[in-house]
Amino acid sequence: MARSALLNVMVQAAMKAGRSLSRDFGEVQNLQVSMKGPGDYVSQADRKAEDILFAELSKARPGYAFLMEERGMIAGDDDQHRWIVDPLDGTTNFLHGIPIFSISIALERQGQLVAAVIYNPAMDELYTTERGGGAFMNDRRLRVAGRSKLTDCVIGCGVPHLGRGQHGNFLVELRNVMAEVSGVRRLGSAALDLAYVAAGRMDGFWETGLSAWDIAAGLLLIREAGGFVSDMDGGQDMLEAGSLVAGNEVIQRALLKAVKKPLSAR
């Protein structure tokens, strides 16, 4: 595929940060297993990757604003553009030596997502997209899966952990979905979950309690792969609401209905 200059900037930044994460990932398993040791180490790896992304993107496009996981909101001279960046999505996987983590970069122009990159350096899988230009993984064109029945589908989800999320609500959602699908998967990186939906590896995905940097790139990737995404209320306020349901047109609608069904309705 031919990449625009803008997308090349994003890819180069992701690859450079990915090399830093790969080096740190190779060392993390050698650390003493304590919350202080590995936890601090992962935080350092996260910050190093974010520093690289901030420097590379700022140099290439001076003045663009940022929304970043560690640094938060950074205003720019250009109020039409904003980078939305997660330098390490899947921190717990990274900490435990599980090679399912990613770098996520999206660009907003006048409030609309126009370009995105998701990169898993451990597996060397690079997902790229630009608005109107399709979605790709390592230059192979992506399409969402074409299944039309939930009973045939493998669905991804996010599981709320200690100190986060409404566990009771999630258990209701999970029970409803489990009763209607072939399988449920939890990868531990929302950005990669969405990339897998775009690639047709999973048929759909739902999660709540997310931040904009977790999902911005994946939203555009799924749309450009022919998929549909909404928030949990069926609207288009995913970045603000922090919730989403994704799939092809038929499965997204059916999954949203299943997730929202009261437990007493079964």
Side-chain angles (χ1 to χ4, degrees):
M1 60 166 286
R3 295 186 187 132
S4 70
L6 174 65
L7 195 57
N8 273 328
V9 164
M10 298 169 71
V11 167
Q12 289 166 12
M15 299 287 278
K16 186 170 182 178
R19 288 192 291 272
S20 176
L21 285 180
S22 292
R23 287 191 295 270
D24 290 335
F25 184 65
E27 297 295 329
V28 72
Q29 296 179 71
N30 298 325
L31 297 175
Q32 181 181 356
V33 181
S34 69
M35 287 310 295
K36 182 178 180 181
D40 286 352
Y41 188 82
V42 171
S43 295
Q44 292 167 19
D46 196 318
R47 285 193 296 270
K48 276 197 297 183
E50 187 167 281
D51 288 345
I52 290 168
L53 294 168
F54 181 76
E56 292 294 309
L57 296 173
S58 296
K59 180 173 66 177
R61 294 293 188 274
Y64 282 20
F66 282 84
L67 176 61
M68 310 185 83
E69 182 178 16
E70 301 300 331
R71 297 175 188 226
M73 185 80 74
I74 303 170
D77 297 330
D78 182 342
D79 62 1
Q80 303 297 305
H81 293 89
R82 180 173 71 157
W83 299 112
I84 304 176
V85 178
D86 191 341
L88 177 54
D89 186 48
T91 302
T92 301
N93 285 348
F94 188 96
L95 171 63
H96 288 269
I98 299 170
I100 302 175
F101 57 89
S102 61
I103 294 161
S104 177
I105 308 170
L107 179 64
E108 269 186 342
R109 179 177 295 135
Q110 297 178 335
Q112 191 169 59
L113 295 168
V114 295
V117 170
I118 296 172
Y119 181 48
N120 178 352
M123 296 182 179
D124 196 27
E125 290 188 344
L126 177 70
Y127 299 85
T128 57
T129 187
E130 290 185 272
R131 187 167 179 261
F136 299 84
M137 191 273 281
N138 292 354
D139 295 337
R140 179 176 63 82
R141 186 71 178 255
L142 300 180
R143 294 292 297 177
V144 293
R147 296 178 183 86
S148 59
K149 296 179 180 179
L150 274 179
T151 51
D152 298 328
C153 290
V154 170
I155 301 296
C157 69
V159 179
H161 51 77
L162 180 66
R164 288 189 61 184
Q166 298 293 322
H167 296 180
N169 290 347
F170 170 75
L171 291 174
V172 172
E173 295 167 3
L174 180 61
R175 183 169 176 179
N176 286 339
V177 172
M178 285 169 57
E180 298 193 34
V181 304
S182 177
V184 178
R185 301 288 184 269
R186 195 273 200 266
L187 297 182
S189 167
L192 285 179
D193 282 310
L194 297 178
Y196 278 26
V197 172
R201 292 174 172 175
M202 294 194 298
D203 299 281
F205 175 78
W206 93 95
E207 188 170 0
T208 62
L210 294 161
S211 299
W213 49 77
D214 297 319
I215 59 178
L219 295 180
L220 185 61
L221 200 69
I222 288 176
R223 288 170 178 160
E224 290 297 321
F228 289 76
V229 189
S230 78
D231 59 35
M232 291 287 281
D233 293 321
Q236 291 297 302
D237 197 24
M238 290 80 69
L239 296 185
E240 292 298 325
S243 68
L244 60 84
V245 182
N248 67 31
E249 185 174 12
V250 174
I251 295 304
Q252 193 275 339
R253 193 163 53 237
L255 180 58
L256 179 61
K257 184 178 179 180
V259 168
K260 297 292 286 183
K261 185 186 300 182
L263 188 59
S264 58
R266 292 212 55 82

